[in-house]
Amino acid sequence: MEKTTTMDKKEITHLQLPEWHKLAGATGWSGTFRMDGPGYAEITLLARSDSHWSLPDKESVLLTLEVDGEYNQTVVLFYGEEPFAYTRLLGRLEAGEHQLQLSFSGDSSPLAKCAWIKGVKLAVIPEDTSLGLIYRHAPVLYGRNLQDPFESRYTDTPLLLIYRMEEAPSGKLLEYHTIYSHEDAGTPAPLLMSKWGRLTDIEWTYRVLLDKTGEVVKAEYQARHHETKEFAGLTALGGHPVLQSATDNGMVTDVPVSSYRFLLPPVYHWKPEVEPRERAMDKYPFTYQLMAWELLRQEAWERPCNPDTIKFTDPRHYLYVQTSAQLDAAVAERRTSIDIKVKRRGDKRWYSSSFNDCRANGQRAAYDGPYPCFATTVKMPEGCFLEELEEVRVVLLPGGADEILVKGLKLFYLTELFTPGEALELANSVHLTMQVPERTIWKADAAYVL
């Protein structure tokens, strides 16, 4: 976040328990905190559990969080025995003392039996600050219940809320995007890697247009079939708009029907003109782990890895690529795709992000989304590393604009722990046309060392 907004957040309580406090059965935890003025309260729990997102029927523990004796939300503990900081927004609260209650939920994964907490941190964001404006419109999201009353405890769980901000003639536009651990429908896993450069699902969820006084002029959400609908729902937890996970590919409705909900704080200001949304994942590397752990349970991984097939394999065998395709404003609406080709030292072949413009299940493997900055991956042989890269080429694929500027490059592999490893970042750019559709954007010299 920018300095102008991080200064808007004030820590009011940071409690370190003398030992790990167990939450199981009827044994919970309670505490109090005081706010000097009204504002948006944010809680961070240092917690661990006997669950793990990679384990069938033991994916997560659900903690029930109450504020002042009323249900506030559910916290999904997905990181297992390792301590993890779970940050949630409690909503707008008045000044004064408030009571917190945490308890183990019997709706946790069947084989998960307990959790522990060690730290509780509270912060407040005053209403009259720039960050307060961003927090004010963050949506409450009710968990999915399409096939199971508590689906979000084991699949497609919300991980992060990010936002973009745009000045508008009438005032300001705020748009919130949710990062989910995966999507059970929509783009299949093999194409997710080539088309989007990840296994997570990132969807714009809620958009609000404000006038110059900060009042809502128009509010919308992304409904089933990617349809934009006007928000006509309720608010909760001090005025936050209420939405419901409605599909197995990240769409929502403004009619809540499940019995559990989340309120994620907007933790990352995404600027689409200069970076892909995946930069939020880079900043919060646990998102890569969750996507890998979920697919470990749900998808058959190709073993051994064969770079010649589009079949999904271990996420650590892909080279992760972030770049941008800049179009002339006159043709910006034309979906234009590029291919990323990679060569290793001592290897004569080129590896393609789109499998040489492959089509599968009626979809193009190459990225064809609406944003200029995007991510993709290149399926590589097992055991590759950045230092052996020799050359990266970009190819303008047919069917879109006749010319394009490809600008910027970020390359990395995942570590053994499924987190982003050291990256190679470059500001290089190349101009492609249909007459010269392929050019080198980067080539290592003999002395190249990461």
Coordinates of all heavy atoms in Angstrom, one line a residue, residues 228-267:
T228 N -22.7 -8.2 -15.8 CA -22.6 -7.1 -14.8 C -24.0 -6.7 -14.4 O -24.9 -6.4 -15.3 CB -21.9 -5.9 -15.4 OG1 -20.6 -6.3 -15.7 CG2 -21.9 -4.7 -14.4
K229 N -24.3 -6.8 -13.1 CA -25.7 -6.5 -12.6 C -25.6 -5.3 -11.6 O -24.6 -5.2 -10.8 CB -26.3 -7.7 -12.0 CG -26.8 -8.7 -13.0 CD -27.7 -9.7 -12.4 CE -28.3 -10.6 -13.4 NZ -29.3 -11.6 -12.8
E230 N -26.6 -4.6 -11.5 CA -26.7 -3.5 -10.5 C -26.9 -4.1 -9.1 O -27.8 -5.0 -8.9 CB -27.8 -2.5 -10.8 CG -27.9 -1.3 -9.9 CD -28.8 -0.3 -10.4 OE1 -29.4 -0.4 -11.5 OE2 -29.1 0.7 -9.6
F231 N -26.2 -3.6 -8.1 CA -26.3 -4.1 -6.8 C -27.6 -3.6 -6.2 O -27.8 -2.4 -6.1 CB -25.1 -3.7 -5.9 CG -25.2 -4.2 -4.5 CD1 -24.9 -5.5 -4.1 CD2 -25.5 -3.2 -3.5 CE1 -25.0 -5.9 -2.8 CE2 -25.6 -3.6 -2.2 CZ -25.3 -4.9 -1.8
A232 N -28.4 -4.5 -5.6 CA -29.6 -4.1 -5.0 C -29.8 -4.9 -3.7 O -30.9 -5.1 -3.2 CB -30.8 -4.4 -5.9
G233 N -28.7 -5.3 -3.1 CA -28.7 -6.2 -1.9 C -28.6 -5.4 -0.6 O -28.8 -4.2 -0.5
L234 N -28.4 -6.2 0.4 CA -28.3 -5.6 1.8 C -26.9 -5.2 2.2 O -25.9 -5.5 1.4 CB -28.8 -6.7 2.8 CG -30.2 -7.3 2.5 CD1 -30.4 -8.4 3.5 CD2 -31.2 -6.2 2.7
T235 N -26.7 -4.6 3.3 CA -25.4 -4.3 3.9 C -25.3 -5.0 5.2 O -26.3 -5.3 5.8 CB -25.2 -2.8 4.0 OG1 -26.2 -2.2 4.9 CG2 -25.2 -2.1 2.7
A236 N -24.1 -5.2 5.7 CA -23.9 -5.8 7.0 C -22.6 -5.3 7.6 O -21.8 -4.7 6.9 CB -23.9 -7.3 6.8
L237 N -22.4 -5.6 8.9 CA -21.2 -5.3 9.6 C -20.8 -3.8 9.5 O -19.6 -3.5 9.2 CB -20.0 -6.2 9.1 CG -20.3 -7.7 9.3 CD1 -19.1 -8.5 8.8 CD2 -20.7 -8.1 10.7
G238 N -21.8 -3.0 9.6 CA -21.5 -1.5 9.6 C -21.6 -0.9 8.2 O -20.9 0.2 8.0
G239 N -22.3 -1.5 7.3 CA -22.5 -0.8 6.0 C -21.9 -1.5 4.8 O -21.9 -0.9 3.7
H240 N -21.2 -2.6 5.0 CA -20.5 -3.3 3.8 C -21.6 -4.0 3.0 O -22.5 -4.7 3.5 CB -19.5 -4.3 4.4 CG -18.4 -3.6 5.1 ND1 -17.3 -3.1 4.5 CD2 -18.2 -3.4 6.4 CE1 -16.4 -2.6 5.3 NE2 -17.0 -2.8 6.5
P241 N -21.4 -3.9 1.6 CA -22.4 -4.6 0.7 C -22.2 -6.1 0.9 O -21.1 -6.6 1.1 CB -21.9 -4.1 -0.6 CG -20.5 -3.7 -0.5 CD -20.4 -3.1 0.9
V242 N -23.4 -6.8 0.8 CA -23.4 -8.2 1.0 C -23.5 -8.9 -0.3 O -24.5 -8.7 -1.1 CB -24.5 -8.6 2.0 CG1 -24.7 -10.1 2.1 CG2 -24.3 -8.0 3.4
L243 N -22.6 -9.9 -0.6 CA -22.7 -10.7 -1.8 C -22.6 -12.2 -1.4 O -22.2 -12.5 -0.2 CB -21.5 -10.3 -2.7 CG -21.6 -8.9 -3.3 CD1 -20.3 -8.6 -4.0 CD2 -22.8 -8.8 -4.3
Q244 N -22.9 -13.1 -2.3 CA -22.9 -14.5 -2.1 C -22.1 -15.2 -3.2 O -22.4 -14.9 -4.4 CB -24.3 -15.0 -2.0 CG -24.5 -16.5 -2.2 CD -24.2 -17.3 -0.9 OE1 -24.7 -17.0 0.1 NE2 -23.3 -18.3 -1.1
S245 N -21.2 -16.0 -2.9 CA -20.5 -16.9 -3.9 C -21.6 -17.7 -4.6 O -22.3 -18.5 -3.9 CB -19.5 -17.8 -3.3 OG -18.4 -17.0 -2.8
A246 N -21.8 -17.6 -5.9 CA -23.0 -18.1 -6.5 C -22.6 -19.2 -7.6 O -23.5 -19.9 -8.0 CB -23.8 -17.0 -7.2
T247 N -21.4 -19.3 -8.0 CA -21.0 -20.3 -9.1 C -19.7 -20.9 -8.7 O -19.0 -20.4 -7.8 CB -20.9 -19.6 -10.4 OG1 -19.7 -18.8 -10.5 CG2 -22.1 -18.7 -10.8
D248 N -19.3 -21.9 -9.4 CA -18.1 -22.6 -9.2 C -16.9 -22.0 -10.0 O -15.9 -22.7 -10.3 CB -18.1 -24.1 -9.3 CG -18.9 -24.5 -10.6 OD1 -19.1 -23.7 -11.5 OD2 -19.2 -25.7 -10.7
N249 N -17.1 -20.8 -10.5 CA -16.1 -20.1 -11.2 C -16.0 -18.6 -10.8 O -15.7 -17.7 -11.6 CB -16.2 -20.2 -12.7 CG -17.4 -19.5 -13.3 OD1 -18.4 -19.4 -12.6 ND2 -17.3 -19.1 -14.5
G250 N -16.4 -18.3 -9.5 CA -16.1 -17.0 -8.9 C -17.1 -15.9 -9.1 O -16.9 -14.8 -8.8
M251 N -18.3 -16.2 -9.7 CA -19.3 -15.2 -9.8 C -20.1 -15.1 -8.5 O -20.1 -16.0 -7.7 CB -20.3 -15.6 -11.0 CG -19.6 -15.9 -12.3 SD -18.7 -14.5 -13.0 CE -17.0 -14.9 -12.6
V252 N -20.8 -14.0 -8.4 CA -21.6 -13.7 -7.1 C -23.0 -13.3 -7.4 O -23.4 -13.0 -8.6 CB -20.8 -12.7 -6.3 CG1 -19.5 -13.1 -5.9 CG2 -20.7 -11.3 -7.0
T253 N -23.8 -13.2 -6.4 CA -25.1 -12.7 -6.4 C -25.3 -11.8 -5.2 O -24.5 -11.9 -4.3 CB -26.2 -13.8 -6.4 OG1 -27.5 -13.2 -6.4 CG2 -26.1 -14.7 -5.2
D254 N -26.3 -10.9 -5.2 CA -26.5 -10.0 -4.1 C -27.6 -10.6 -3.2 O -28.2 -9.8 -2.3 CB -26.8 -8.6 -4.5 CG -28.1 -8.5 -5.4 OD1 -28.7 -9.5 -5.7 OD2 -28.4 -7.3 -5.8
V255 N -27.9 -11.9 -3.3 CA -28.9 -12.5 -2.4 C -28.2 -13.6 -1.7 O -27.9 -14.7 -2.2 CB -30.1 -13.1 -3.2 CG1 -31.1 -13.8 -2.3 CG2 -30.8 -12.1 -4.1
P256 N -27.9 -13.4 -0.4 CA -27.2 -14.4 0.4 C -28.0 -15.6 0.7 O -29.2 -15.4 1.1 CB -26.7 -13.7 1.7 CG -27.7 -12.6 1.8 CD -28.1 -12.2 0.4
V257 N -27.5 -16.8 0.6 CA -28.3 -18.0 0.9 C -27.5 -19.0 1.8 O -28.1 -20.0 2.3 CB -28.7 -18.7 -0.4 CG1 -29.7 -17.9 -1.2 CG2 -27.5 -19.1 -1.3
S258 N -26.2 -18.8 2.0 CA -25.5 -19.7 2.9 C -25.4 -19.1 4.3 O -25.9 -18.0 4.6 CB -24.1 -19.9 2.3 OG -23.3 -18.8 2.5
S259 N -24.9 -19.9 5.2 CA -24.9 -19.5 6.6 C -23.6 -19.1 7.2 O -23.4 -18.9 8.4 CB -25.4 -20.7 7.5 OG -24.5 -21.8 7.3
Y260 N -22.6 -18.9 6.3 CA -21.3 -18.4 6.8 C -20.7 -17.4 5.8 O -21.1 -17.3 4.6 CB -20.3 -19.6 6.9 CG -19.9 -20.3 5.6 CD1 -18.6 -20.4 5.2 CD2 -20.9 -20.9 4.8 CE1 -18.2 -21.0 4.1 CE2 -20.5 -21.6 3.6 CZ -19.2 -21.6 3.3 OH -18.8 -22.3 2.1
R261 N -19.9 -16.5 6.3 CA -19.5 -15.4 5.5 C -18.0 -15.0 5.9 O -17.5 -15.3 6.9 CB -20.4 -14.2 5.7 CG -20.4 -13.6 7.1 CD -21.6 -12.6 7.3 NE -21.5 -12.0 8.7 CZ -22.5 -11.3 9.2 NH1 -23.6 -11.1 8.5 NH2 -22.4 -10.8 10.4
F262 N -17.5 -14.1 5.0 CA -16.1 -13.6 5.2 C -16.1 -12.1 4.9 O -16.9 -11.6 4.1 CB -15.1 -14.3 4.2 CG -15.3 -15.8 4.0 CD1 -15.8 -16.3 2.8 CD2 -15.0 -16.7 5.0 CE1 -16.0 -17.7 2.7 CE2 -15.2 -18.0 4.9 CZ -15.7 -18.5 3.7
L263 N -15.2 -11.4 5.5 CA -14.9 -10.0 5.2 C -13.4 -9.8 5.1 O -12.8 -9.6 6.1 CB -15.6 -9.1 6.2 CG -15.4 -7.6 5.9 CD1 -15.8 -7.2 4.5 CD2 -16.3 -6.8 6.9
L264 N -12.9 -9.9 3.9 CA -11.5 -9.8 3.7 C -11.1 -8.3 3.5 O -11.8 -7.5 2.9 CB -11.0 -10.5 2.4 CG -11.3 -12.0 2.3 CD1 -10.9 -12.5 1.0 CD2 -10.5 -12.7 3.4
P265 N -10.0 -7.9 4.1 CA -9.6 -6.5 4.0 C -9.0 -6.3 2.6 O -8.3 -7.2 2.0 CB -8.5 -6.3 5.1 CG -8.0 -7.6 5.3 CD -9.1 -8.6 5.0
P266 N -9.2 -5.1 2.0 CA -8.5 -4.8 0.7 C -7.1 -4.5 0.9 O -6.7 -3.4 1.2 CB -9.3 -3.6 0.1 CG -9.9 -3.0 1.4 CD -10.1 -4.0 2.4
V267 N -6.2 -5.5 0.6 CA -4.8 -5.5 1.1 C -3.9 -5.0 0.0 O -2.7 -4.7 0.3 CB -4.3 -6.8 1.6 CG1 -5.1 -7.2 2.8 CG2 -4.5 -7.9 0.5

